[in-house]
Amino acid sequence: MLTTHSQHARNPFPPLARRCSRALLTVSTAAVVVGALTLVPATASPDQAQDWDDIAYRGAIEVVQAEDGPGDESVLTGKVFVDSDRDSASDGESGLAGVTVTNGRDVVRTDDEGEYELPVFDNMTVSITQPSGYQVPVDEYNVPQFHYNHLPEGSPELRYGGIEPTGPLPGAINFPLVESELTAEAAQSCVIAGDLQTYDKQEVEYARAGAIKDLSERDDYAGCGTLFVGDIVGDDLSLYPDIKELTAETNGPARFLPGNHDLDFDAPNAAHSFDTFRAQLAPVYYSYDVGDVHVVALNTVDYPCTAAEDSPEGIEEHCADPEGSPSYNGRISDDQLDWLESDLENVSDDKLIVVAGHIGLLNYADESSPVHQVDQVVRVHELLEGREAVAVSGHSHSIENLKAGDDVEGWRDLFGIEGIPFPHITAGAISGDWYSGEVGEDGYPTAIGRDGGRPGVVTLDVEGDEFQERYTVTGESDEVQTQLGLNSPTFREWFDERQEWNDDPTGEAPELDEPLVLDRADLADGTWLTTNFFLGSTGSTVEVAIDGAPVEEATRTQLMEGEDVNVGVEYSDPYAVAQQLVHGGSLADRTMHLWRFDLPGDLEAGARTAEVTATDSYGREFTDVLEFEVVEER
C-alpha cells in the first residue's frame, strides 16, 4: 500500500519529550532461563569471528547440457554433491544422500549416491532444501544459489523482463554444497526482515543508512542468515539489482520470499505473476534447514485472485474480475499446499518449524480483513499440529507478537478460529511506515508505524526446537524496546483538532505545545502514561514507579481474549501520533502492545519522574524513564 506524505512542520516534541524513545536505564540481560534451557543470541563462532566475505561459500548450481538433450524429457535427473574444492563442478566429488529436492509439486530425497529424479513440467522451479551442517553457495550479493527455473520459451512479454527462455531440459541439474559448522550449530539467530519496499533509489539509500547498516555491523546471524519476507521493492522491479547491492553488505545468506509489491502486474495469469522475482531472487516457495530449525518460505500472495470453495466471505466479491480489474488476496496455491504437506513429511518431529509468508496467516492489524490474511490458515494449522512452530510475516507494517491462545473477534468471524495454536509474529518493516516522517541525522526517516512501532527487524534466537524473539529498532541497541508518552485531555483535544485541520488545512495548524506538561485539569479528567512495548505480548507486564514510589502495574489496552479491536485516541500512542499528524504517515490509534497507567490526580506540582519496567514473556526486563512536569494551570 502507499501512504501520503504531508508537508514537514516543526517537531511538536522538544528534546525532553524525545527522550521517551530511548531506554535511559536498562537492566536487560542477554540470557534468559526458560525451564532448563538458556537461550542467548548466537555468538560468533571461530568461523564467524572471521570476516563473512572470507568464509562465505561463493558459487552456483551446475547445469549440465547433454549434446543430444536428455534421454527422457519427462524426467529431470541430477545430483547433490559435496563441493570439496569449492568450484561448483561435480568433478568426481561425493554425492550427499537424503537431501530433499523438489520441482514445486513432487518432493524426493537423494539416494545413496546423492542422485535424484523428478517429473518435468514446462514452468517449474527445481530446488533443494539446504540440510543442517551444509551451506548452499551464495553469489556476490549473498543470495543463495539452490534452484533452477525451467521455462523453455521464457516468460510472456513483461515490463521487467521475467525469465529468459531456458531452452530444452538440461541433461542434469547438480546442486553443490559444502560442509558448514555455522549451519550445524544448535544455537542459531535467524533475522526476519519485513518490507524493504523501496519505491525509488532514494528509499534504497534510506534502507542502506538504516537497517542494512545495522545488519552490516552484526555478526550473530551468519548461519541462518536474513529472510526478507516480501515486498522487497515497491512495484518497480527494476530496483532488484539495487536491493542485491544492499544485501551484499550483510553478513550472512540473504533469502527472499515474494510480496504483493513484487508482482509482474502485467502478467497474463498467476503462473507468471512472479517471474521477475524468480529470475532475480528466489523460488516463490522453498525450504531450508539450519541447526534444529526447518524454515518454510511460502508465497501467500494470489494474483490475479479468484475465489475458491474454501475462501472466506468477502473474497468472491473482491476477486470477481481477475481479467478486467485484477486484485491480490492472501492465499496459498493448491500445488503449494500439496508441496508443503510433502515437505513437512520429510522433517523430523524434533525440529522447530518456522512458517514464513508475506501476508501473514493471521494478524491483529487486519484481523477482520479476508484479503490481508490467508484463506487456508486453518489447513496450515492442521498440518503443523503437534509440532513446535512459529509463523512469521510482514505486509501489515506493524509489529505483532501473538502468543498461542491469543484471540480476536475477526478471526472467529472469518475463519472460526478461537485462539491460535502457536505463536504468530509480524516482523514490522524496514521501511516502517513507508519511509514517512522526518529524515533524521542518520539519513533515514522516522517512519513510525500504524501501531506506533519504530522500523526494525525481528530475530529468532533458537536452541533446539525452542526460540525467543527479539526486536532491534533501526539504529538502536536491543535494549531499546519501549516508547513512553502522556495521553492527556489536552493531547486528546489536539488530536481531534489536528485531524480536522489535516483534512481541511485552512488557517494556522493546531500545535501540541509542551506535550510533557500536565495541569490540574489534565490530571482531574484522566491522564495515562502510555508504554508502547514493541514486542510486548500476552505474558508481558509493565510496571510504573512515580518519583521512586512503590511500583504499580499498568493495564494492557488489548487483552487478545476474543474481543473486538480497540480503536481511537484513547488507545493511541501519543508519542507516535504527535509526529504522524504533523509529519505524515499512518495514525497509531490501535495496537496490541500498548499499556496504560492512570496518573494520580493529586501529583504535586513540579518536575516528576516515571520509571517504567517492561518485562517480556521470558522474564527479560527493559527499563525506561519519562520526565514530565505538573503545573497548577497552563
Side-chain angles (χ1 to χ4, degrees), residues 57-137:
Y57 169 41
R58 308 287 181 190
I61 63 170
E62 182 183 40
V63 180
V64 180
Q65 300 291 355
E67 291 185 6
D68 299 324
D72 183 351
E73 293 190 0
S74 68
V75 178
L76 174 68
T77 61
K79 180 179 180 180
V80 178
F81 66 97
V82 180
D83 188 16
S84 56
D85 58 7
R86 293 182 171 232
D87 67 352
S88 300
S90 56
D91 40 12
E93 288 154 314
S94 300
L96 187 62
V99 178
T100 301
V101 192
T102 182
N103 58 10
R105 299 180 187 177
D106 306 277
V107 176
V108 299
R109 282 183 177 272
T110 55
D111 64 18
D112 290 344
E113 303 300 320
E115 296 177 348
Y116 71 89
E117 291 186 357
L118 279 168
V120 172
F121 53 95
D122 278 347
N123 184 6
M124 68 177 185
T125 299
V126 180
S127 66
I128 66 168
T129 297
Q130 172 187 277
S132 296
Y134 294 87
Q135 182 191 328
V136 299

Side-chain angles (χ1 to χ4, degrees), residues 560-599:
M560 305 299 294
E561 295 177 349
E563 74 276 15
D564 196 4
V565 169
N566 292 320
V567 183
V569 62
E570 64 269 38
Y571 302 107
S572 70
D573 175 345
Y575 176 82
V577 165
Q579 296 188 56
Q580 291 166 326
L581 285 178
V582 174
H583 300 294
S586 298
L587 192 62
D589 62 353
R590 70 177 74 187
T591 176
M592 50 79 65
H593 46 79
L594 189 77
W595 276 256
R596 295 191 314 205
F597 177 77
D598 292 330
L599 288 178

Side-chain angles (χ1 to χ4, degrees), residues 105 121-125 149-166 237 240 258-259 262-279 284 299 301-304 333:
R105 299 180 187 177
F121 53 95
D122 278 347
N123 184 6
M124 68 177 185
T125 299
N149 295 316
H150 177 64
L151 190 58
E153 302 301 322
S155 299
E157 185 174 349
L158 298 173
R159 176 182 180 185
Y160 295 108
I163 300 170
E164 293 293 326
T166 60
L237 309 189
Y240 281 148
D262 296 309
L263 288 160
D264 285 293
F265 285 107
D266 52 344
N269 52 55
H272 297 287
S273 60
F274 284 112
D275 278 8
T276 302
F277 175 92
R278 293 166 62 198
V284 290
N299 172 22
V301 179
D302 179 26
Y303 177 88
S333 68

Side-chain angles (χ1 to χ4, degrees), residues 41 189-194 210-215 217-218 220-221 399 427-430 444 453-461 469-482 534-535 620 622:
S189 291
C190 303
V191 176
I192 311 299
I212 299 301
K213 179 176 183 292
D214 289 351
L215 289 172
E217 295 172 352
R218 288 176 55 175
D220 63 331
Y221 62 98
I399 309 163
I430 285 178
Y444 51 86
R454 295 169 61 190
V457 300
V458 164
T459 303
L460 302 181
D461 294 314
E469 65 281 357
R470 58 186 161 105
Y471 190 69
T472 303
V473 174
T474 299
E476 303 283 8
S477 77
D478 287 344
E479 295 169 341
V480 177
Q481 296 293 315
T482 57
F534 300 136
L535 268 188
R620 296 177 296 196
F622 306 92

Side-chain angles (χ1 to χ4, degrees), residues 259-337:
N260 55 288
H261 288 282
D262 296 309
L263 288 160
D264 285 293
F265 285 107
D266 52 344
N269 52 55
H272 297 287
S273 60
F274 284 112
D275 278 8
T276 302
F277 175 92
R278 293 166 62 198
Q280 293 280 341
L281 299 177
V284 290
Y285 55 90
Y286 55 94
S287 63
Y288 57 97
D289 287 346
V290 290
D292 295 311
V293 184
H294 181 72
V295 182
V296 181
L298 297 177
N299 172 22
T300 56
V301 179
D302 179 26
Y303 177 88
C305 63
T306 54
E309 290 184 3
D310 57 354
S311 296
E313 185 177 353
I315 294 302
E316 184 173 1
E317 180 179 358
H318 175 74
C319 302
D321 189 4
E323 293 185 4
S325 181
S327 300
Y328 74 84
N329 175 42
R331 185 170 179 83
I332 301 170
S333 68
D334 291 342
D335 283 344
Q336 187 178 179
L337 266 180

